Amino acid sequence: MERLILAIETSCDETAAAVTLGRTVLGSAVYTQREHELYGGVVPEIASRNHVMKIPYIVDEALKKAEKSYRDIDAIAVTNGPGLIGALLVGVSFAKALAYYYKLPLIPVHHIEGHICSLFISHETLEPPFLCLVVSGGHSHILVVEDYGVYRLIGKTRDDAVGEAFDKTARALGLGYPGGPKLEALAREGEPVYAYPRGFKGETHLDFTFSGLKTAVINHIHNMEQKGETYKKADIAASFQNEAVSFLADNTFEAAARTGINKIGIAGGVSANGALREAFRRRAEKENISLYLPELKYCTDNAAMIGCAAAFSKETDQPLRLNADASRMLFE
Ligand SMILES: Nc1ncnc2c1ncn2[C@@H]1O[C@H](COP(=O)(O)OP(=O)(O)OP(=O)(O)O)[C@@H](O)[C@H]1O
Ligand SMILES: [Mg+2]
C-alpha cells in the first residue's frame, strides 16, 4: 500500500514541502526566496538563514493544503543532496527531528532523481524505460531511466549547465536574476537573427558545452558596443535561446535514435522554457516520439517531486545519522 509522505526540499533557494501519496500530490507549498535578486545570484548564507525562518510555516502550509496532520503521515522524505550544504542541512535537520519525534521512517532523496520524478506526477501512466533530459541550474544530462531508481548517463555538459548559461547570458544583457525566465520573455520580442557557434561539431558523443555559447554572446555584445553599432537585445536573447534549445534537442533526439527508445521526458527548471517545450513538441511529432513534460509548477524546485521519488526509494536504517551531501552522485 502507498505511504502518505511528507517531503521537504531546501537544496537551493526554494523552501518547499509537500504531502504525497504515490504519484498523487495532496498538498504542495513552495517559497521562492527573492532576497537573492539584490545580489544577482544565490548567496548561500542568505539561503540557509531563510530556510531556517520559513521551513516550519511551509511544512504547515503543505499539511494544511492536504488537509492532513503530522499524525496522518507514514514517512518523512528529504532532499539530502546535491545542493548548497548549509541549505540542505536545514531540510535534513528538520526532517530528522520530525522523524525522531513522530517515530517515522526517513527517506533521503537525490535532488535530480526528484526532478526526474516530476514527470511521474504529471503523467500517471509513464513507466520506465524512457529517455530523460534533465536541464536545470546545475545539470544538463541525457539519461536513460531504465527502471524506477535505475539510471544510465549517456550525455552531459562538460562545463556550464544550460540553466547557468541562461542566467549568465541574461546577466550580460542586464536582465537581473533569475535570468532564465527573463531571457525567455525578452526573446519573445526578438528574432534569432544571429548564428552562434555550436561546440563539439562533428564529434560522435552526446555531451554538451554551453560555456562557449555564453562567451560568444558576451563577445558579440562587446564587439557591437565597441563599434558603436545598434542592436536589439531581444534578437540576441532569441538567438542564444534558439541555439541552446537546438543543441539540447539535436542530442536528445539523436540519443532516442541510437537507443531505440521512443519516449522522451524533460525535467528541471529549464523545462519551463516555452521555446524548448515547443521545439521538442514539433520534433517529437515529426519523429514519432512520445514526449513527456512536467507541469510548469513542477519544473523548478519543489517538494512534490521529492515525495514522488521517495515512494520508490529506500528509507535509511540510521535516521539520526543522515547527513547532507553537497555533491551526492546519482551515477557510479
Ligand atoms: N523559462 C525558463 N527559461 C529558461 N530557463 C529557466 C526558465 N525557468 C527557469 N529557468 C532556469 O532554471 C534554473 C533553475 O532550475 P532548478 O530550480 O531546477 O535549478 P537548481 O535547483 O538551482 O539546480 P539543480 O536542480 O541542477 O540543482 C535556473 O538556471 C533558471 O534560470
Ligand atoms: Mg533543481
Side-chain angles (χ1 to χ4, degrees):
M1 215 185 64
E2 296 286 7
R3 295 188 290 188
L4 193 68
I5 291 174
L6 172 61
I8 292 170
E9 154 67 49
T10 62
S11 67
C12 192
D13 57 343
E14 263 90 19
T15 315
V19 178
T20 57
L21 187 69
R23 294 179 176 208
T24 308
V25 182
L26 303 181
S28 171
V30 180
Y31 169 71
T32 300
Q33 303 175 2
R34 311 302 300 260
E35 291 78 357
H36 307 282
E37 285 173 17
L38 197 63
Y39 306 96
V42 178
V43 183
E45 184 59 21
I46 294 176
S48 312
R49 286 168 190 268
N50 267 309
H51 286 311
V52 172
M53 287 190 288
K54 289 288 175 192
I55 196 160
Y57 304 102
I58 294 298
V59 170
D60 277 353
E61 192 184 326
L63 284 165
K64 213 168 172 179
K65 283 183 173 168
E67 298 181 2
K68 300 288 180 194
S69 77
Y70 284 117
R71 300 277 171 206
D72 299 317
I73 299 296
D74 299 315
I76 307 288
V78 65
T79 305
N80 76 323
L84 302 170
I85 189 67
L88 287 164
L89 277 169
V90 178
V92 168
S93 308
F94 200 85
K96 280 164 80 169
L98 287 179
Y100 179 71
Y101 184 79
Y102 289 103
K103 298 185 174 55
L104 293 172
L106 181 61
I107 309 168
V109 174
H110 191 286
H111 181 73
I112 296 305
E113 182 157 48
H115 275 302
I116 297 163
C117 292
S118 65
L119 291 168
F120 294 133
I121 303 173
S122 306
H123 303 278
E124 241 173 70
T125 56
L126 175 63
E127 301 275 355
F130 59 91
L131 278 178
C132 190
L133 173 69
V134 180
V135 275
S136 58
H139 297 80
S140 307
H141 285 341
I142 303 173
L143 44 93
V144 182
V145 181
E146 298 190 312
D147 201 346
Y148 292 99
V150 184
Y151 309 100
R152 181 160 54 90
L153 185 67
I154 55 175
K156 61 175 192 316
T157 182
R158 299 221 188 147
D159 40 57
D160 289 359
V162 65
E164 189 182 352
F166 265 90
D167 292 335
K168 288 177 176 170
T169 305
R171 189 185 303 169
L173 289 168
L175 299 178
Y177 182 86
K182 290 186 173 155
L183 191 146
E184 181 188 358
L186 180 64
R188 262 186 245 121
E189 296 162 28
E191 292 297 329
V193 292
Y194 304 113
Y196 291 122
R198 167 91 43 106
F200 298 150
K201 245 199 157 121
E203 296 195 28
T204 52
H205 59 73
L206 296 173
D207 285 351
F208 300 109
T209 164
F210 291 107
S211 160
L213 171 59
K214 164 208 71 190
T215 308
V217 175
I218 293 172
N219 287 344
H220 185 211
I221 296 172
H222 287 168
N223 264 331
M224 287 192 290
E225 281 175 356
Q226 276 164 5
K227 289 184 195 152
E229 288 174 21
T230 52
Y231 62 92
K232 258 179 83 184
K233 278 187 180 181
D235 288 342
I236 294 182
S239 306
F240 163 83
Q241 182 174 263
N242 186 53
E243 169 51 24
V245 166
S246 308
F247 197 177
L248 292 170
D250 286 348
N251 284 16
T252 309
F253 283 89
E254 175 61 22
R258 287 190 198 178
T259 56
I261 299 173
N262 66 352
K263 292 195 283 186
I264 293 178
I266 315 179
V270 184
S271 66
N273 184 277
L276 177 127
R277 294 169 86 95
E278 194 40 45
F280 271 73
R281 266 196 209 107
R282 261 187 276 117
R283 204 134 160 201
E285 208 180 295
K286 216 167 83 192
E287 299 185 25
N288 226 353
I289 299 263
S290 306
L291 181 67
Y292 300 87
L293 300 167
E295 287 164 70
L296 288 179
K297 63 183 170 193
Y298 299 131
C299 290
T300 42
D301 290 354
N302 64 88
M305 66 187 197
I306 303 303
C308 189
F312 60 80
S313 301
K314 268 210 298 261
E315 61 202 58
T316 168
D317 50 9
Q318 292 195 299
L320 287 178
R321 306 199 80 161
L322 181 68
N323 206 350
D325 178 353
S327 28
R328 188 178 163 189
M329 304 287 284
L330 188 57
F331 318 96
E332 291 308 309

